[in-house]
Amino acid sequence: MASTQIKAQLNDLLNSMFAMDFLDEQFKQLQMLEDGSCPGFISEVITIFCDDAERILSLITELLSKPVVDFEKVDAYVHQLKGSSSSVGAKRVALVCIKFRNVCQENDKEGCMATLYEIRREFDELNKKFRTMLQLEQQIQALDSKR
Amino acid sequence: MADRITALLVECSVLVRCLYYQILTNLNFEVVSVQYAHEALELLQTDNDFDFIIIDAGRPDINGEVIMSLKDLAPHMKIIVSTFNIGLADGLLAAGADAFIIKPAQPEDIVDTLIELGIIG
């Protein structure tokens, strides 16, 4: 059955995300919070995280483009991103955020630019996988509802 | 029917607020959530009937004065500080907060804290 195959694809995707440290135990905790009374909870959380991360990364990019960088503001935004990535279980993004905060606290603009590039790369990869996850879930729901 | 336990949630991160809201409603609590400390203080002036508050310690607008104001407005309400950084909790505990939880808090962390505070049995 098509639904079974897509569920298998989704499981494979999730397993690989855990194996490659894109996600950690916190994401499993979120999965346990999703229940019959709130079936779209994971989708909602993922969407909020991705939108929020995009917003924060744009703000950080803007701050780092200025001739005089407000490292305190940059650090505050990175702190926010670390918080939300930890809360959703986005392990690799959270780890780069820690690195970013260290570089920020040294007022190292070049270091910040390099780390921003790294965090953008990690987030973009994670975002792609999340989108695939959500698409597969939508396909499963659509197929299951036709039964 | 016993009254439901009521919680006030103060958290600026949409994602963390969503997460905590889900945890608390799964525990069958009534939850009111706001983003900032001043919103919580305004709310408590007209409605202070909350069993506990979970408040984000990481924001600059959360300090000892805010904790003391919360105590004045709702003396019976237990104050739980939510933080990534235990160091931030120390000052707020000294100002009168009752407990802290480390973000991202799991349901069992919150339950254990509520049991310790005597809010649930």
Side-chain angles (χ1 to χ4, degrees):
Chain A
M1 295 203 106
S3 171
T4 313
Q5 283 171 342
I6 297 172
K7 282 175 186 170
Q9 275 181 46
L10 178 57
N11 273 342
D12 286 345
L13 172 62
L14 277 169
N15 287 338
S16 77
M17 288 175 79
F18 283 112
M20 293 168 71
D21 282 345
F22 281 102
L23 296 175
D24 63 18
E25 188 60 34
Q26 176 62 18
F27 190 81
K28 291 182 185 170
Q29 298 292 333
L30 295 185
Q31 288 177 307
M32 289 199 284
L33 285 175
E34 188 168 69
D35 62 15
S37 67
C38 188
F41 174 66
I42 290 286
S43 304
E44 188 184 352
V45 166
I46 287 172
T47 304
I48 290 172
F49 168 70
C50 291
D51 288 348
D52 203 38
E54 285 283 10
R55 177 188 66 88
I56 289 171
L57 289 172
S58 296
L59 288 166
I60 291 173
T61 304
E62 201 183 315
L63 284 169
L64 289 177
S65 71
K66 294 190 190 304
V68 179
V69 175
D70 186 339
F71 287 102
E72 259 190 54
K73 268 193 183 161
V74 173
D75 184 55
Y77 283 127
V78 177
H79 175 70
Q80 274 186 50
L81 182 57
K82 177 181 167 291
S84 56
S85 55
S86 298
S87 298
V88 83
K91 184 174 179 180
R92 281 162 64 155
V93 173
L95 285 173
V96 184
C97 285
I98 292 170
K99 187 175 163 183
F100 202 153
R101 293 201 75 195
N102 290 338
V103 168
C104 230
Q105 280 155 17
E106 290 167 9
N107 290 359
D108 176 1
K109 183 172 179 177
E110 270 183 37
C112 283
M113 299 290 291
T115 317
L116 175 63
Y117 178 77
E118 195 179 338
I119 210 170
R120 169 52 80 178
R121 206 182 54 223
E122 288 293 347
F123 170 69
D124 284 347
E125 236 184 297
L126 176 65
N127 196 10
K128 261 189 262 181
K129 292 181 187 295
F130 272 153
R131 287 191 196 287
T132 304
M133 187 195 299
L134 294 180
Q135 281 165 11
L136 290 172
E137 283 185 350
Q138 282 170 5
Q139 286 173 40
I140 291 166
Q141 277 167 26
L143 286 168
D144 286 349
S145 67
K146 280 181 185 169
R147 287 190 188 165
Chain B
M1 193 180 201
D3 288 339
R4 283 168 76 188
I5 291 171
T6 53
L8 177 55
L9 175 57
V10 185
E11 172 58 61
C12 62
S13 161
V14 175
L15 191 145
V16 177
R17 200 160 66 240
C18 178
L19 173 62
Y20 278 2
Y21 186 88
Q22 179 73 2
I23 291 174
L24 294 173
T25 51
N26 277 6
L27 291 168
N28 205 31
F29 297 157
E30 260 186 53
V31 185
V32 173
S33 61
V34 298
Q35 228 177 330
Y36 302 113
H38 72 86
E39 292 173 301
L41 293 171
E42 281 162 25
L43 174 64
L44 288 170
Q45 283 172 19
T46 51
D47 177 8
N48 70 352
D49 193 20
F50 291 94
D51 293 285
F52 68 96
I53 181 172
I54 296 180
I55 186 162
D56 173 17
R59 284 191 51 81
D61 60 332
I62 309 291
N63 52 36
E65 273 185 42
V66 167
I67 300 298
M68 289 191 282
S69 298
L70 291 171
K71 281 275 183 213
D72 285 340
L73 289 168
H76 62 280
M77 180 180 72
K78 298 295 184 186
I79 300 173
I80 302 171
V81 164
S82 165
T83 180
F84 289 109
N85 181 344
I86 295 176
L88 286 176
D90 286 345
L92 301 178
L93 290 168
D98 298 290
F100 70 92
I101 51 179
I102 301 295
K103 289 184 186 181
Q106 306 307 325
E108 53 269 25
D109 299 330
I110 294 176
V111 167
D112 287 346
T113 302
L114 294 177
I115 290 172
E116 279 173 23
L117 292 174
I119 294 168
I120 57 176

